[in-house]
Amino acid sequence: MTRRSIAIVIQEGVQALDITGPLDVFTEANRFLSEGDGYDCSVVGEKTTPIQTSSALLVCANVTFQEAKEPFHTVLVAGGPKFPSLVPSKNLSNWLEGACQKAKRYGSVCTGAFTLGHIKLLDGRHVTTHWENAHKLANLFPQAYVNSDKIYIQDGPLVTSAGVTAGIDLALALVAADHGPSIALSCAKRLVVIAQRQGGQSQFSPLLLPQMPPSSPLGDIQAYVLEHFSQPLSVKRLATLGGVSERGLARLFMRDLNVTPRDYVEAVRLTHARNLLEATELAIKTIAFKSGFSSPEQMRAVFQKKIGVSPLQYRENFKTTKYSH
């Protein structure tokens, strides 16, 4: 049993939820872990006097860069709305570069990825950030492989997440990697991570389902689904990939994820379709095929069954902005 030290790095203009979301996940995890196997969380900044968040809430680091000399297991940089246009201070950059070299893993929440980019920690890595800022991240740091669709990405020791509440998804994934999917799922249930949208709790992120370790048979299948959801994915094909029978695959999914293989694939496709409906002006037919549905009618039936609205209603209610190509 080993306690893991977590550093959340903050700077002026940080988004409050980028700090508190992951912190609450790690704190909740401690409720389900033995005393010697939990998390010790620190908020690290240039000073311990109050700084203003993007919502005008005042927050304080509890340890300064100068004081935080011991290595952390995990270092996460919290994001903020102005960070895509902000060059981090020399003190922050110097401390962060050293801390990430010592850490077992490091990364960012939302636009905290820009801070990592300025010290070249994104180079050669697959990363994500808030979809609205993904294009700018790719332009600023061309050596990074930016994916604007993913909720979170782990590439080696680097972990990055999409916007704001995705920091919670990322933290849950880290808890799952450290202590298993059942602990992470218990944390998610305790936090009741609800998207406040029409349709109620049916709109929980499917990626709150436990994610199995990448090296496991089911982890490999999940990774394949997340990369190839737009292609035909029969249960037989997934079972072959996992080297098990169709019945064996179904048992694995129900035991570890409490869903059928077919429902898991459907959930991943639904998540992608929702993202496209919110963030683009693509035609419904195009979104259906890009998301792996056989037809717009099939996608409409899944939306009605899982969310309680049609794709058109969903777009009307939750479209975030006009999207330029």
Side-chain angles (χ1 to χ4, degrees), residues 8-78:
I8 306 292
V9 183
I10 66 170
Q11 52 190 311
E12 190 80 28
V14 67
Q15 188 142 12
L17 193 55
D18 286 8
I19 310 169
T20 59
L23 281 178
D24 277 341
V25 171
F26 294 123
T27 302
E28 286 296 332
N30 285 340
R31 294 165 53 92
F32 304 100
L33 299 169
S34 64
E35 186 175 345
D37 203 27
Y39 296 97
D40 296 315
C41 298
S42 299
V43 178
V44 186
E46 196 153 356
K47 56 187 180 180
T48 56
T49 52
I51 64 171
Q52 187 165 283
T53 68
S54 60
S55 60
L57 178 71
L58 297 178
V59 298
C60 300
N62 62 296
V63 61
T64 66
F65 296 139
Q66 186 175 4
E67 295 166 339
K69 297 177 180 179
E70 294 298 317
F72 288 92
H73 178 277
T74 302
V75 177
L76 295 176
V77 183

Side-chain angles (χ1 to χ4, degrees), residues 182-309:
S182 63
I183 297 294
L185 192 57
S186 295
C187 293
K189 288 178 179 179
R190 275 282 306 158
L191 292 170
V192 193
V193 188
I194 300 176
Q196 296 187 9
R197 302 176 179 181
Q198 182 181 348
Q201 296 188 32
S202 63
Q203 294 179 79
F204 275 39
S205 168
L207 294 182
L208 285 178
L209 293 170
Q211 299 296 298
M212 302 305 295
S215 58
S216 68
L218 195 52
D220 289 340
I221 292 170
Q222 285 182 293
Y224 187 86
V225 171
L226 290 170
E227 291 292 335
H228 300 89
F229 58 81
S230 63
Q231 301 174 11
L233 292 173
S234 66
V235 175
K236 181 178 180 180
R237 183 177 181 183
L238 295 181
T240 300
L241 286 169
V244 296
S245 67
E246 292 182 44
R247 183 173 296 179
L249 181 71
R251 283 198 297 267
L252 281 174
F253 266 88
M254 289 305 299
R255 184 192 70 189
D256 296 332
L257 303 180
N258 201 31
V259 296
T260 67
R262 195 179 306 277
D263 283 343
Y264 181 79
V265 171
E266 189 176 83
V268 171
R269 288 171 171 166
L270 180 62
T271 295
H272 187 259
R274 285 165 51 189
N275 289 340
L276 292 180
L277 286 166
E278 292 173 5
T280 79
E281 294 180 342
L282 293 172
I284 296 297
K285 181 178 180 180
T286 301
I287 290 176
F289 291 128
K290 279 182 173 289
S291 302
F293 295 104
S294 61
S295 66
E297 290 72 27
Q298 186 202 20
M299 184 173 77
R300 186 178 300 110
V302 171
F303 265 77
Q304 292 286 2
K305 179 178 69 173
K306 297 292 186 181
I307 297 179
V309 295

Side-chain angles (χ1 to χ4, degrees), residues 77-151:
V77 183
K82 67 180 183 181
F83 292 1
S85 303
L86 182 69
V87 176
S89 71
K90 185 176 180 179
N91 285 343
L92 189 159
S93 297
N94 289 342
W95 181 87
L96 187 58
E97 185 173 13
C100 290
Q101 288 176 354
K102 299 174 188 176
K104 296 292 184 182
R105 63 191 175 205
Y106 55 87
S108 59
V109 179
C110 194
T111 56
F114 286 84
T115 304
L116 294 176
H118 282 291
I119 55 175
K120 301 188 180 301
L121 290 179
L122 303 184
D123 289 1
R125 300 288 188 181
H126 293 269
V127 303
T128 191
T129 188
H130 191 292
W131 63 266
E132 191 175 28
N133 303 111
H135 186 67
K136 184 169 186 177
L137 187 72
N139 284 341
L140 276 177
F141 309 111
Q143 299 303 311
Y145 302 98
V146 180
N147 186 311
S148 61
D149 286 335
K150 294 294 183 69
I151 299 296

